[in-house]
């Protein structure tokens, strides 16, 4: 026979179980301080997933003194907004392109120039180099913010509704680029018309014919579904791109040295994990796009390189000849 007491006990047990299922075990209490990490990428992308991992890992390693709340898909503003937010303290950590960081300290943009790197290994050597640390120190002096590391973003390729096999195919092409001068260098060299449009607005601009083409890594072309509104994916590989992970000065100032060092370690591990994921995804995506019905064009990159490299130290260069030579010597 079931007593009133046992019925109440069973009810209480079920309530506790449901609560644990919904919110997790009580040992994982909210951290004393949450850092805000803002970015413009989708929740399906490795950048977001590794940022979430970093937040959980930071909580573990600091005994819940800190965790990270991640704000994806431009939810705290476009890339220009979140860069400004670092200094204001409205965001604490961001992913951002090197050209955006270059607005505060010009040489920081060097890695975003077309055909600046020979290949992935050259890029990785730069990421781990004393030269990059020197760049980060200059950026700190200019902006008050801390550039921690680089995450591989992939090689950038052109998508269009016609084959792009050489520079002549880009003459007069209206191509969307991020709103930063270095992203315009490759289209200018090839005779195209670079058109800055916010990242969140690119799909609609392609769909409506506001622009003829855009350029991004294969992983981004997939995640943002640009392949749905562009028939050709042209493997120009014009930029070996990466994202900076930056910690705002106000966020750094509120942390003691020990916790900040833990944060740096976590951010570097997240960057390494994300880089590995991007490499793996990138290797398989050409076949995937073909399966979706797109035409994937393998192109001779030498003519594109030839029209672009003379611009490396031209009027859009924001670095010194010595810095350029040091990078090429790696």
């Amino acid at each position: 026979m079931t007593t009133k007491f046992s019925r109440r006990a069973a009810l209480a047990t079920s309530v506790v179980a449901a609560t644990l299922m919904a919110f997790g075990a009580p040992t994982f209490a909210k951290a004393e301080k949450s850092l805000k990490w803002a970015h413009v990428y989708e929740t399906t992308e490795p950048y977001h997933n590794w940022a979430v991992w970093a937040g959980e890992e930071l909580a573990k390693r600091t005994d819940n003194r800190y965790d990270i709340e991640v704000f994806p898909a431009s939810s705290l503003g476009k890339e220009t907004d979140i860069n400004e937010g670092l200094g204001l303290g409205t965001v604490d950590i961001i992913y951002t392109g090197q050209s955006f960081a270059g607005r505060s300290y010009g040489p920081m943009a060097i890695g975003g120039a077309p055909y600046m790197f020979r290949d992935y290994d050259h890029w990785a050597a730069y990421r781990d180099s004393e030269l990059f640390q020197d760049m980060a120190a200059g950026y700190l002096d200019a902006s008050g913010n801390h550039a921690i590391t680089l995450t591989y973003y992939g090689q950038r390729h052109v998508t269009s509704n016609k084959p792009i096999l050489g520079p002549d195919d880009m003459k007069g092409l209206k191509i969307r680029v991020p709103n930063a001068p270095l992203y315009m260098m490759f289209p200018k060299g090839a005779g195209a018309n670079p058109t800055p449009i916010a990242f969140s607005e690119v799909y609609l601009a392609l769909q409506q014919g506001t622009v003829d083409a855009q350029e991004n890594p294969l992983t981004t072309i997939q995640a943002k579904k640009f392949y749905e509104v562009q028939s050709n994916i042209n493997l120009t590989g014009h930029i070996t791109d990466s994202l900076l992970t930056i910690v705002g000065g106000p966020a750094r100032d509120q942390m003691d040295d020990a916790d900040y060092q833990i944060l740096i370690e976590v951010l570097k591990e997240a960057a390494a994990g994300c880089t590995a994921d991007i490499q793996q995804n990138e290797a398989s995506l050409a076949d995937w796009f073909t399966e979706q019905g797109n035409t994937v064009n393998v192109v001779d990159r030498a003519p594109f390189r030839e029209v672009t490299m003379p611009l490396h130290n031209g009027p859009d260069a924001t670095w010194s000849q010595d810095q350029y030579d040091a990078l090429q010597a790696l």
Side-chain angles (χ1 to χ4, degrees):
M1 180 176 176
T2 305
T3 65
K4 184 182 294 186
F5 174 82
S6 62
R7 285 196 299 271
R8 288 176 178 170
L11 178 61
T13 300
S14 66
V15 169
V16 171
T19 301
L20 291 177
M21 289 178 65
F23 299 105
T27 53
F28 297 102
K30 183 172 176 57
E32 296 171 22
K33 174 67 177 178
S34 285
L35 301 175
K36 292 182 178 180
W37 187 337
H39 64 78
V40 300
Y41 304 99
E42 301 299 318
T43 57
T44 55
E45 296 186 75
Y47 316 108
H48 178 73
N49 296 333
W50 280 97
V52 171
W53 174 88
E56 296 169 350
E57 198 66 17
L58 183 64
K60 292 176 187 176
R61 299 189 196 182
T62 62
D63 296 323
N64 256 11
R65 289 186 297 278
Y66 287 94
D67 66 9
I68 297 170
E69 187 176 3
V70 184
F71 296 85
S74 303
S75 55
L76 289 186
K78 298 173 183 176
E79 196 148 6
T80 299
D81 301 323
I82 63 176
N83 272 273
E84 292 174 353
L86 283 173
L88 298 173
T90 53
V91 297
D92 302 308
I93 307 169
I94 65 169
Y95 285 129
T96 193
Q98 296 161 98
S99 292
F100 285 90
R103 294 176 180 180
S104 296
Y105 178 64
M108 204 69 183
I110 194 170
Y115 299 113
M116 183 61 70
F117 296 107
R118 295 182 296 275
D119 49 28
Y120 172 84
D121 289 341
H122 188 197
W123 171 83
Y126 170 63
R127 175 199 60 196
D128 299 333
S129 69
E130 185 176 328
L131 176 61
F132 176 72
Q133 294 304 319
D134 290 343
M135 297 287 196
Y139 174 75
L140 173 61
D141 289 342
S143 70
N145 301 318
H146 303 259
I148 305 302
T149 189
L150 291 164
T151 298
Y152 183 59
Y153 191 66
Q155 288 192 329
R156 297 180 80 97
H157 306 289
V158 174
T159 69
S160 58
N161 286 319
K162 68 171 188 176
I164 303 292
L165 304 178
D168 286 346
D169 296 321
M170 290 186 66
K171 301 291 185 187
L173 192 75
K174 197 170 185 181
I175 180 170
R176 179 271 170 181
V177 294
N179 188 19
L182 290 189
Y183 287 108
M184 302 181 196
M185 189 180 288
F186 169 66
K188 285 179 179 178
N193 295 322
T195 306
I197 294 175
F199 194 45
S200 58
E201 300 167 8
V202 177
Y203 185 99
L204 189 60
L206 294 170
Q207 188 178 50
Q208 294 181 341
T210 306
V211 289
D212 306 312
Q214 68 86 44
E215 52 79 58
N216 260 298
L218 297 181
T219 50
T220 303
I221 294 166
Q222 181 191 44
K224 301 296 281 188
K225 302 187 185 299
F226 298 148
Y227 66 92
E228 294 181 346
V229 289
Q230 298 265 266
S231 60
N232 282 250
I233 297 171
N234 311 284
L235 301 181
T236 52
H238 51 279
I239 296 177
T240 301
D241 210 356
S242 50
L243 300 177
L244 285 158
T245 304
I246 301 179
V247 176
R252 164 62 185 105
D253 293 344
Q254 74 177 6
M255 302 181 74
D256 65 31
D257 290 345
D259 283 339
Y260 181 62
Q261 288 305 312
I262 293 171
L263 175 63
I264 289 176
E265 291 170 8
V266 168
L267 294 180
K268 287 184 174 181
E269 289 174 29
C274 188
T275 292
D277 282 355
I278 295 297
Q279 283 188 288
Q280 182 177 348
N281 293 346
E282 192 175 44
S284 63
L285 276 175
D287 290 340
W288 186 88
F289 286 121
T290 300
E291 292 169 2
Q292 309 312 304
N294 297 96
T295 300
V296 178
N297 299 309
V298 178
V299 305
D300 180 3
R301 298 178 184 177
F304 289 108
R305 183 183 295 272
E306 288 171 9
V307 300
T308 303
M309 289 192 70
L311 303 179
H312 277 179
N313 291 301
D316 289 332
T318 56
W319 46 85
S320 69
Q321 185 70 49
D322 287 346
Q323 289 167 325
Y324 178 80
D325 292 342
L327 177 54
Q328 295 308 314
L330 290 173

